[in-house]
Amino acid sequence: MSETLFDDAGAEAQRTQEPLAVRMRPRTLDEVAGQGHLLGDGSPLRRLVEDDAPMSLFLWGPPGTGKTTLATVVSRATDRRFVELSAVSAGVKEVRAVIDEARRLMGMRGTRTLLFVDEVHRFSKTQQDALLPAVENRWVSFIGATTENPFFSVVSPLLSRSLLLTLESLTDDDVRGVLERALADERGLDGRHTLSAGAEDHLVRLAGGDARRCLTYLEAASLVAGERAEITLADLERAADRHAVRYDRSGDQHYDVVSAFIKSMRGSDPDAALHYLARMIEAGEDPRFIARRLVVHASEDVGMADPAALQTAVAAAQAVELIGLPEARINLAQAVVHISLAPKSNAVIRAVDAAAADVRAGRAGPVPAHLRDGHYKGAEQLGHGEGYKYAHDYPGGVVAQQYAPDALKDAEYYRPTSHGAERRYAEVLERIKGVRRPDGRPEG
């Protein structure tokens, strides 16, 4: 009897020393924040849990989205023995030991084991191969968590035998829900503190969609507040050593900072542009939004003056999706510097807008007969395709021929500048125009 009391007292003492993020870890699927696409009625994960079926899963998502939490909840909901390994420290020996013990317990007692491997992408190919027999024969139910694209970091045989579930960063509302529960729940702060509006907003920004980071900052701020009931913005700034950035993602500050960011790149000031980039990131702006602006302005403000700017911007956007923050800030910064220092031209956006303006004004006209589709039955009788000149049959791949409708045959939309690489494209376009003109002479 006394051993049980001592055990209970020890377990309670251990729980009080656990970080807030650990104490507040959800106990059921219904307590999990966000991930509605994975947890809704009839979703694969919920069906696997409710049907208590053998399973092997990969959970792929940014830090703090609930990968470890989901694995723990699944083990409890399905009454499985839960074993956790970290790919940072475990090797083939540890993996095989867990598998051997799982087989032994299954044979002796019918006990099923759920093996959770955190950061599974750090396992070598040999270590991942060691998991294959256990997954294939269902000696264990396997869940691997990774922040990196499993198609690049996990061996194909293991991935093909598992269900891949993608977790998403928590929304601001999800984070607020986590805060609300942590403030009120007896496992958390148990109603001892409230958050001022400013502190809550700053905490949501600091979290950046990461529930663990949110709870870590909240716990630190509660220690700073001490006996005071309300946790203020000043408490949170002291605890996190991060001053609140004046930036409302839905207000004037958002539009002012984004406008200054774009205009700084357009004005070839990389230092100012990097300042506004850092300001947005520190304030918790969605990095995908920043990446989209870079892709747009690589064409709008640079265009053909440096076509590689668009490639850099697109690569930065892909990096944001692949690795996320904080590392992706470096990729975003590279794109910002590239766009800022690139020669500038707005010829592309002016061209497409001028073409669109003519279309909206009704200046279109029928497609010239020689350019119309001549492949279907009856096209020849209509004269479609008749007289078309195949450009590859002519020197340089260019031939004198009208392409625009009659109403627009003299229209010029793209007017290249002499900036950067666009100077070369201007010369090429002038030579092409000289060949395409019916009299064979360049304009002017």
Side-chain angles (χ1 to χ4, degrees), residues 327-344:
E327 290 87 349
R329 77 191 188 285
I330 308 168
N331 310 106
L332 292 172
Q334 180 177 341
V336 166
V337 171
H338 189 149
I339 293 171
S340 298
L341 297 182
K344 302 298 188 293

Side-chain angles (χ1 to χ4, degrees), residues 149-186:
N149 190 330
F151 290 103
F152 298 128
S153 58
V154 177
V155 295
S156 297
L158 186 57
L159 192 58
S160 66
R161 289 165 173 80
S162 307
L163 181 65
L164 175 61
L165 303 179
T166 304
L167 282 70
E168 298 173 352
S169 294
L170 303 187
T171 66
D172 287 357
D173 287 340
D174 292 334
V175 173
R176 291 182 194 277
V178 170
L179 286 173
E180 183 179 341
R181 188 161 61 243
L183 287 166
D185 197 290
E186 61 180 11

